[in-house]
């Protein structure tokens, strides 16, 4: 039953349309930047095994095909055909696409959705907007220009996203910063940019300004939480650090989406229980932790997280393989967890089916106001 | 065999004797304050499923009865009959009851015990004593009055409890504060109270003063650790932060009880291994994490915690359902963990039975000096 | 198949050759300093059950022999015979032995290896070298003498080790300290030692000086991470705190070995994924967490850690029992994890066998340049 549910992927990126050599392919497989001299090939990871197991048959190969055989077949079919096959097999009906990362190198939301006949919605990355604004405006114009850009974005985008975890950590102050504080911080940043430093937002006040501006606009706000590449200071990406901000936004009618969360997914489950406006997933993790790991991690999230708070995402980026592996592993993990509770008699079968529908897409429909959904009623 | 063991619930609260409407019932189910607009009904949580599964049959309904059906039947039977049935079914022989929370709204220890024919003991909350004292005394009288109250309490209470985690976090200094420091802090607090601020202890020095005063009196001291409601800063409730205080109290012959601990229960297990005076439980968590989750969480606690250090508690509060669910889930989880180790041949059956008796009540009898117990000898 | 693999124990200590009474034996069993009045005997721990289950038969007793029976038999056979039997049964081919702890009380690397016919290599503890140097040299001579000692050690040792986690925590600055900073810190420490304080390195600058000196010499560097005795501040032993140093050393061609890691082993797995020069194990944990726990903990490490980054260690110290229990539990856990992934079809059997060989010893051979190894190729 879970195999047939259309999924809402509430957080992903586009895919690369160029042909990739083996090193480039491996560098997009997991959070390692590239294969190195010590660990050997990156196919020797859970996600590497999963690609060979799950994607090879979709391309017409035996399961567990060797890496070079897989890449040869991939080249033979061409990236578009590979993407079409893998996205179709994933069974994802809607994609919410973060367009603020690797712009230009990845497909647009519409291109992505076209591969599978699904629908696409844009998620606007707050820090990218600010970085674009600071490059072309003086400090005095920074705040109003950002505000205007976000207002405009809110008319077409489905949500905002913050990568505060990467830049300043999640230990944000709770309050909206004053106009004076924003101006001072913008002036400092503007001076750095004028002096030739890379245009990279890493100021806590400005990040907070962006978040509160987004809160005013009423769209859901996604936060990168937990694992990412070596650029994250992972101990500053613990969602518990967000508690002051979550308290401050609890009555603002704005859903806050905590993405990934691993290895802090139990912390995220706790937050989803005590804050009604918090939604959680274990995206990115599920395709990376192996088959047994996926069921374990999802089960751990479902310890405390209310059924109505759990979402599906792939965080697929670059490789269409990641969407397919994420979807298969998510479906399998969800079935394992629900079957176990049903088999023990802890949940009724009807409750299990209803929970599956909510997690696969109903909750996302409700939180993002995506239209027809399965509401969490009796 | 585990099903027949009488349990010592070493940490709980009283129950509400008034009839509850659905919103009030849901608001007592888990750590969420109340159902909200985003997640839907709070019956869609592991503890919600568990109440429908485990408590409905005790009230004469089918397992998995719908929420409204359950609440109708609850109203029909009346709260006293419901409480009697659920507490009797729980098989708890002794209740150690924290009387410092929602005083007046909940049953007293004796009332609670009367429902099930068990015995009750009072646990005195340190912060509540201090809050009572500061309201009626000047700063100079604060310390001696607190001391006198705690001395008096120690004649009848079975233990003390601190909610430092909620107020100042567990990163307490190790040392006993000086009289001068206590006076200064009391004077500051007294002035705040006089100025009309809510009477709420949130001063690290005064919390530490209370703890050391309790240490002098020789009773076990319980600490809230890990999950609680949105009022906890969960990242300050990690038991590892207590290490300096645990080192400072290691030779004082006073057991320190770490309550709940989830999601830091592996940290708690470590502390129980390296400090002989530390006892641990996963109360509150077990009824909240589902059937599979309960076995997993207890197993994780038992990775490092010596058998002689593990206790049972419900943290039942408000709803008698929580006592019943906690007891059933605890027995089942313990049986699963012990059966798995026995079936693999890792533990002898005799060791498993002995461990079950210790964890169900023998350790609590020894630590709280509750009278006849199963001592941890060969 | 896993049962027959020769193991490389990349982190251990020597064993005690004197006869031990029961209290002394229990005090070496786990991380508790000694049995105390509250928890009862330390045989009531997972490692205590494991010794009775796994070691008793090697000494000719029934499995689950009572503690006193076990210790009587141990005395009857004599420590050398017991050590010979247990180390031979462990199937460890190579021992990398930290010689900086309890020097004099434990066997040397060659003595240890002689018991089992294996090979031994010395690991030099950086802090022990510095403590030896500060005792006999003035502050000006400290840095050059340390450097010279480490250069000399690098000619015979297989690796260096730091116990920064015990002394200053893992939140180290990333940079190599200046000569002036090292001189100032050495002068302060030298003055403390001259004033009669115990010779114990607990200065962050000097620890960092030692680490960077070791980096220059190109040998792998081991770090104590995660659980240890009550002397560790466990929350400062989270491997995520090492991220700045790991970034700073990523291009230095020096493998960094994160030892133990529990309960932060998922954090360690993340670091192994994003840093090619990071290797990880769950040594010390596996013998302490029970049979079910060992499989769970190893599975959690293997969620993110690339196959090429995972090592085996016992952290055996004092008791030969710990080597045997660690080896049996490791083999069993590895078999359980690989069988589960193979049975589900997630990994091919050939991939599982190859992964087992890499983790049991191939990765250690490559990282420590131990000679013939199974390279991680197709």
């Amino acid at each position: 039953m879970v195999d047939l549910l259309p999924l809402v992927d509430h957080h992903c990126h586009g895919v690369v349309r160029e042909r990739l050599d083996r090193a480039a392919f491996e560098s997009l497989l997991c959070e390692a930047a590239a294969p190195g001299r010590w660990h050997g090939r990156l196919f020797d990871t859970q996600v590497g095994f999963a690609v060979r197991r799950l994607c090879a048959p979709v391309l017409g190969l035996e399961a567990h095909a060797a890496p070079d055989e897989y890449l040869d077949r991939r080249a033979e079919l061409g990236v578009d055909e590979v993407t079409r096959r893998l996205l179709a097999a994933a069974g994802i009906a809607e994609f919410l696409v973060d367009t603020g990362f690797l712009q230009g190198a990845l497909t647009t939301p519409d291109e992505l959705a076209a591969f599978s006949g699904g629908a696409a919605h844009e998620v606007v990355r707050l820090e990218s907007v600010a970085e674009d604004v600071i490059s072309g405006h003086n400090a005095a114009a920074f705040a109003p220009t950002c505000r205007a850009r976000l207002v405009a974005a809110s008319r077409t985008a489905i949500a905002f996203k913050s990568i505060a975890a990467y830049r300043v950590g999640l230990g944000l102050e709770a309050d909206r910063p004053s106009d004076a504080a924003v101006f001072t911080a913008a002036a400092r940043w503007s001076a750095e940019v004028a002096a030739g430093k890379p245009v990279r937002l890493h100021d806590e006040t400005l990040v907070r300004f962006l978040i509160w501006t987004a809160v005013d606009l009423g769209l859901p706000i996604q936060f990168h939480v937990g694992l990412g590449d070596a650029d994250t200071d992972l101990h500053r990406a613990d969602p518990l650090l967000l508690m002051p901000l979550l308290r401050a936004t609890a009555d603002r009618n704005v859903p806050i989406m905590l993405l990934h969360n691993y290895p802090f997914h139990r912390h995220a489950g706790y937050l989803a229980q005590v804050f009604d406006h918090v939604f959680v997933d274990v995206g990115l993790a599920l395709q990376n932790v192996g088959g047994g790991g996926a069921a374990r991690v999802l089960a751990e999230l479902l310890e405390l997280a209310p059924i109505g708070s759990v979402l599906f995402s792939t965080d697929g980026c670059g490789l269409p393989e990641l969407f397919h592996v994420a979807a298969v592993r998510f479906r399998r993990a969800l079935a394992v967890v629900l079957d176990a509770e049903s088999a023990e008699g802890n949940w009724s079968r009807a409750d299990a089916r209803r929970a599956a529908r909510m997690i696969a897409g109903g909750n996302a429909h409700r939180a993002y106001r995506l239209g027809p959904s399965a509401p969490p009623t009796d």
Side-chain angles (χ1 to χ4, degrees), chain A:
Chain A
M1 171 264 183
V2 172
D3 285 349
L4 301 175
L5 288 172
L7 302 176
V8 177
D9 181 355
H10 88 111
H11 173 62
C12 64
H13 305 265
V15 298
V16 175
R17 297 186 82 159
E18 288 151 40
R19 181 170 165 164
L20 299 167
D21 64 17
R22 178 154 170 180
F25 187 89
E26 290 200 34
S27 74
L28 289 168
L29 253 186
C30 65
E31 298 306 306
R37 67 163 285 192
W38 292 109
H39 295 167
R41 66 191 205 184
L42 289 172
F43 271 100
D44 283 337
T45 52
Q46 294 280 8
V47 68
F49 291 125
V51 165
R52 290 169 49 216
R53 166 67 188 87
L54 300 172
C55 302
V58 179
L59 305 197
L61 299 173
E62 297 278 316
H64 311 297
D68 283 340
E69 188 189 357
Y70 182 82
L71 291 169
D72 286 349
R73 175 66 178 158
R74 200 178 194 272
E76 188 179 276
L77 288 170
V79 176
D80 281 6
E81 172 64 13
V82 166
T83 302
R84 224 171 345 256
R85 289 192 187 193
L86 289 169
L87 288 186
I92 298 169
E94 303 191 61
F95 300 87
L96 279 60
V97 186
D98 172 4
T99 53
F101 181 55
L102 296 178
Q103 282 166 311
L106 302 177
T107 52
T108 66
D110 287 342
E111 288 172 324
L112 185 74
F115 280 114
S116 68
H121 310 273
E122 186 181 9
V123 175
V124 169
R125 197 184 274 210
L126 297 172
E127 291 81 3
S128 300
V129 170
E131 289 169 358
D132 196 49
V133 169
I134 200 72
S135 307
H137 298 79
N138 63 32
F142 176 78
T145 311
C146 279
R147 246 186 236 115
R149 293 273 184 98
L150 295 181
V151 168
S154 72
R155 291 192 195 110
T156 54
I158 195 81
F160 292 112
K161 177 182 173 187
S162 169
I163 55 163
Y166 271 94
R167 299 302 179 80
V168 296
L170 294 176
L172 300 165
E173 297 288 318
D175 298 340
R176 181 195 301 268
S178 69
D179 289 350
V182 173
F183 172 78
T184 305
R188 193 184 315 119
W189 188 24
S190 183
E192 285 173 15
V193 171
K197 289 208 182 168
V199 180
R200 185 178 159 87
L201 175 56
H202 54 85
D203 180 283
E204 194 266 350
T205 300
L206 297 182
V207 168
R208 219 156 14 100
F209 158 75
L210 294 167
I211 292 167
W212 279 102
T213 304
V215 166
D216 292 338
L217 295 170
L219 294 193
I221 306 177
Q222 304 179 338
F223 280 86
H224 174 96
V225 180
L227 87 166
D229 62 34
D231 204 25
T232 335
D233 267 340
L234 189 53
H235 79 280
R236 301 192 304 163
D238 184 333
L240 295 181
L241 299 173
L242 274 178
M243 284 193 81
L245 188 69
L246 295 177
R247 280 194 203 100
T249 55
D251 63 351
R252 297 301 302 261
N253 227 358
V254 172
I256 303 286
M257 287 29 205
L258 307 181
L259 306 173
H260 324 319
N261 294 300
Y262 182 98
F264 308 116
H265 46 290
R266 279 172 159 165
H267 301 189
Y270 165 78
L271 296 172
Q273 179 165 111
V274 300
F275 293 109
D276 179 58
H277 68 313
V278 167
F279 290 78
V280 290
D281 72 35
V282 279
L284 180 57
L286 287 202
Q287 62 263 42
N288 271 289
V289 298
R296 187 167 48 239
V297 166
L298 185 63
E300 289 171 349
L301 180 70
L302 288 171
E303 285 168 356
L304 287 194
I307 301 303
S309 71
V310 179
L311 304 173
F312 166 71
S313 84
T314 63
D315 199 19
C317 184
L319 303 181
E321 279 83 355
L322 301 177
F323 293 79
H324 182 57
V325 170
V328 172
R329 284 285 153 86
F330 168 77
R331 290 180 197 275
R332 173 84 186 141
L334 187 57
V336 166
V337 173
L338 299 181
D339 282 355
E341 295 288 353
S342 302
E344 289 278 321
N346 296 327
W347 297 22
S348 73
R349 293 276 166 195
D351 285 328
R353 280 193 298 270
R354 197 167 140 276
R357 284 194 302 270
M358 290 168 70
I359 296 172
N363 293 330
H365 272 264
R366 189 172 67 257
Y368 289 100
R369 303 174 181 93
L370 285 173
S373 75
T377 62
D378 293 21

